Amino acid sequence: MLFTDTHTHLYYETDPEKLDILMQRCLDNNVERLFLPNVDVASIAKINAMVEKYPANCFAMAGLHPCDVKEDYELVLDEICESIVGRDIYAIGEIGIDLHWDKTTLDIQKIAFTEQIKWAKDLNLPIVIHCREAFDEIFEVLEKEKDAKLRGILHCFTGNVAQAKQAIDLGFYLGIGGVVTYKKAGLDEVLKEIPLANLVLETDSPYLAPVPFRGKPNESSYLIHIAEKLADIYQTDIEEIAAKTTANSKTIFNI
């Protein structure tokens, strides 16, 4: 049984001993593939260090998180783009639009999002999208950019059935994390209308820990609890959840 965490910020843990413990817990729970989304310039070195330390398990992305799109975003984008040269990068992410914290930056968020989609197309890479309170704005950009090269993951999907189907029609898989275990979230009911073939697993560690760890720091080893919930939703076993979602991740990331 092999699990893939398609979205984890485990590199936020800077204590090497604690990081070793977190990684060992992953391996103990068959979480052997971890994809690391970039958020800003500072996180590049952290991701590189983790990939160097765990080359068989950790895989890097490159991108500028929408919450970090500020007035100097063009300079930051240039620096992140330059960092890709000579590195093994498996996606452009996490990128997108976030209107929860700051709606005043919407225009430059759209510009940055579109620019990074173009990087992905030029490099033949998937994109990993952060979308918070911005489905309409995200889909507006994606519809404009739709072509054979546009593909990836809608990270931390929490939308409705119509939004799920629109994302899938645009060439995206849905990243399912701890929210699916929350009783009042309603995501379980949405997924009953969506085939397992369109899903991947993620934790978004250290955020959004699944039940029974809700409210505590998340970690990639907790992916097992998300898989158990999906096994319940799809009336199957976690071995099938692991097999299908990992196969989907291999299709997306080509590794």
Side-chain angles (χ1 to χ4, degrees):
M1 189 164 62
L2 172 62
F3 286 109
T4 300
D5 187 347
T6 61
H7 198 108
T8 175
H9 301 273
L10 211 62
Y11 59 86
Y12 284 172
E13 178 53 67
T14 57
D15 184 313
E17 291 184 5
K18 289 182 180 178
L19 188 56
D20 283 340
I21 292 170
L22 289 172
M23 284 299 298
Q24 188 57 53
R25 284 206 286 260
C26 286
L27 300 178
D28 291 344
N29 283 283
N30 303 110
V31 183
E32 298 181 27
R33 288 160 44 87
L34 288 76
F35 287 83
L36 311 177
N38 195 61
V39 294
D40 56 18
V41 171
S43 59
I44 295 170
K46 296 175 183 177
I47 290 173
N48 284 347
M50 195 164 175
V51 169
E52 184 177 352
K53 190 170 186 180
Y54 309 100
N57 308 105
C58 294
F59 308 93
M61 303 183 204
L64 180 61
H65 191 289
C67 289
D68 290 291
V69 175
K70 308 297 182 184
E71 290 183 2
D72 64 345
Y73 76 95
E74 292 175 301
L75 294 174
V76 176
L77 284 178
D78 286 344
E79 192 166 350
I80 293 174
C81 188
E82 289 170 5
S83 80
I84 296 172
V85 179
R87 298 166 66 210
D88 291 325
I89 298 296
Y90 296 92
I92 300 300
E94 66 188 280
I95 65 177
I97 299 174
D98 188 310
L99 298 181
H100 177 77
W101 298 109
D102 189 354
K103 294 180 174 64
T104 67
T105 59
L106 174 59
D107 288 344
I108 58 174
Q109 284 190 53
K110 283 183 178 180
I111 295 170
F113 184 30
T114 302
E115 175 66 20
Q116 291 175 97
I117 290 172
K118 291 177 180 176
W119 296 357
K121 290 180 179 181
D122 289 343
L123 295 168
N124 194 26
L125 291 174
I127 61 173
V128 173
I129 298 175
H130 173 104
C131 174
R132 190 169 186 187
E133 299 177 17
F135 274 110
D136 290 345
E137 292 79 5
I138 287 286
F139 285 137
E140 178 187 350
V141 173
L142 294 181
E143 291 289 353
K144 289 179 180 177
E145 293 296 326
K146 182 179 180 180
D147 62 18
K149 289 188 173 183
L150 183 69
R151 59 193 176 90
I153 298 171
L154 192 54
H155 146 64
C156 192
F157 181 78
T158 55
N160 58 35
V161 173
Q163 290 163 337
K165 290 181 177 179
Q166 185 173 0
I168 292 165
D169 288 344
L170 283 163
F172 289 84
Y173 289 77
L174 309 181
I176 304 302
V179 174
V180 75
T181 69
Y182 303 167
K183 287 184 179 180
K184 295 182 179 180
L187 186 56
D188 54 343
E189 294 300 317
V190 171
L191 293 185
K192 289 176 182 178
E193 305 295 323
I194 304 299
L196 183 59
N198 300 118
L199 309 184
V200 290
L201 300 182
E202 62 167 67
T203 60
D204 200 19
S205 164
Y207 312 110
L208 299 172
V211 173
F213 301 102
R214 186 175 183 182
K216 299 178 181 179
N218 199 3
E219 59 183 74
S220 288
S221 67
Y222 294 167
L223 199 73
I224 188 74
H225 300 285
I226 300 164
E228 288 171 346
K229 179 64 177 180
L230 287 190
D232 178 62
I233 293 169
Y234 290 98
Q235 293 295 289
T236 187
D237 52 43
I238 60 171
E239 286 81 7
E240 182 181 9
I241 299 297
K244 288 190 174 180
T245 56
T246 286
N248 292 343
S249 77
K250 291 179 179 179
T251 298
I252 295 164
F253 296 115
N254 198 30
I255 187 171

